[in-house]
Amino acid sequence: MTDTQAIVFDLYGTLYDVHSVAQQCDASFPGQGMRISEMWRQKQLEYTWLRSLMGRYVSFEQATHDALVYTCRHLNFELDEATCATLCDAYLNLSPYPEVPATLQRLNNLGLPLAILSNGSVFSIDSVVKNSGLQTHFANLLSVEPVVVFKPDPRVYTLACEALGLSSHQILFVSSNSWDAAGARHFGFKVCWVNRRNNAFDELGATPHVIVSGLDELPALIGTAQV
Amino acid sequence: MTDTQAIVFDLYGTLYDVHSVAQQCDASFPGQGMRISEMWRQKQLEYTWLRSLMGRYVSFEQATHDALVYTCRHLNFELDEATCATLCDAYLNLSPYPEVPATLQRLNNLGLPLAILSNGSVFSIDSVVKNSGLQTHFANLLSVEPVVVFKPDPRVYTLACEALGLSSHQILFVSSNSWDAAGARHFGFKVCWVNRRNNAFDELGATPHVIVSGLDELPALIGTAQV
């Protein structure tokens, strides 16, 4: 398993902290920021899965908007249009995890092409990456838009093979979302799960090849028996 | 919209209370019954959606088992095999909601065929319905097994049309799960959402035709402008 030719990262929750929106949520709903952010993220994921299954794709921005609307209705919080727009915009300005910039540079120095494969729209991915100044590190920013379905549908993972001209086993896929890591493993990628919070891995019939507690552990693993 | 020719019910959470397993959970993990039951149910649903998207169907029993294993690992509860088997068996002995038996009888008296369309396997559905003594009320017990995918994939809803020989608009589909009600509405059923807990309806681009707070409200609605 030492023939890794490229590294493909998930974006939301892996390179970027989705809960960096909690601060803006807290400004609009004092004391409720993390509660809103957590339910919002959970519903956002559910809506991507459910709309994929129903064959009713909408953009990630729309699913994110809908999930926020539901969350505020569920919690009985009044959400006016301006606040809704402000909070949804926060998803375009997520913060990378602290170790990410230096890690990407170290991986660039190893000479492997890096890519992002994300549920986000082309616009969302571009915005998040450019707003954080990390765009020079990536050879490809890949959105689910061309296949109008979300992860973990295998058509999404195929996009990375096509864009990079590689077989699935030549790609190391890196995700913090264990359901995404499981889907990627079923697809055929080599898989690294980033387990920052010492969570249990989802029971979906597939396990990652390697587990790290932060992305800074990744460069030393490249070229080892694991990856 | 008064041409309803049959009523098709969701099973888990609609006719039967999934949290009737909380008592058995509490016997094994004192004081934690409802906490386990709620996370178990959430994960069970997630696993049906994720496995459907990954094209990695397993039976509902297997997904239920896997969700319990994850839940106990996540909560750091030791789950031995005997306890696991006991708790999974509890899903075959769910209690119907209190109003269900009398409501089914009243609907039978109206002469409309009644059916169940469920994520459960043939074995699970048969077990739950027979163990509660309600099997005589139903013309059809329909499992997702033939299409090896879970709700809200439209192939599941198609099973009801095929089994009953009816068009989607001739069927009233009844579910407490708002994502299921939304999927059924996108499919083309007439839809009744059973909202027992005054929840918000999921933001999935579809709304139910009618909302009730318990199934006992349903017989009076049959033949009205709503259903």
Side-chain angles (χ1 to χ4, degrees), chain B residues 12 29 55 62 89 97 132 174 206 225:
Chain B
Y12 298 104
F29 301 98
Q62 182 67 48
D89 274 354
Y97 283 99
S132 61
V174 181

Side-chain angles (χ1 to χ4, degrees), chain A residues 42-43 46-47 49-54 56 70 73 152-154 179 183 186 200-205, chain B residues 42-43 46-47 49-54 56 66 70 73 152-154 179 183 186 200-205:
Chain A
Q42 172 66 29
K43 275 287 155 183
E46 289 186 14
Y47 287 2
W49 302 331
L50 289 164
R51 283 199 169 266
S52 295
L53 277 174
M54 297 188 303
R56 300 278 173 166
Y70 174 88
R73 288 182 58 210
D153 188 296
W179 56 270
H186 277 304
F201 195 80
D202 272 304
E203 298 285 332
L204 290 163
Chain B
Q42 173 66 28
K43 276 287 155 184
E46 289 185 14
Y47 287 1
W49 302 330
L50 289 164
R51 283 198 169 266
S52 295
L53 277 174
M54 297 188 301
R56 300 277 174 167
D66 295 346
Y70 174 87
R73 288 181 58 211
D153 188 295
W179 57 271
H186 277 305
F201 195 80
D202 272 304
E203 298 285 331
L204 290 163

Side-chain angles (χ1 to χ4, degrees), chain B residues 162-212:
Chain B
E162 290 173 353
L164 296 163
L166 295 172
S167 306
S168 59
H169 68 272
Q170 296 176 303
I171 292 174
L172 175 66
F173 184 79
V174 181
S175 182
S176 295
N177 297 291
S178 81
W179 57 271
D180 185 22
R185 178 71 197 263
H186 277 305
F187 175 75
F189 286 142
K190 282 184 287 187
V191 172
C192 172
W193 180 40
V194 187
N195 184 15
R196 290 188 175 91
R197 296 181 185 187
N198 197 27
N199 285 330
F201 195 80
D202 272 304
E203 298 285 331
L204 290 163
T207 52
H209 293 90
V210 63
I211 301 172
V212 296

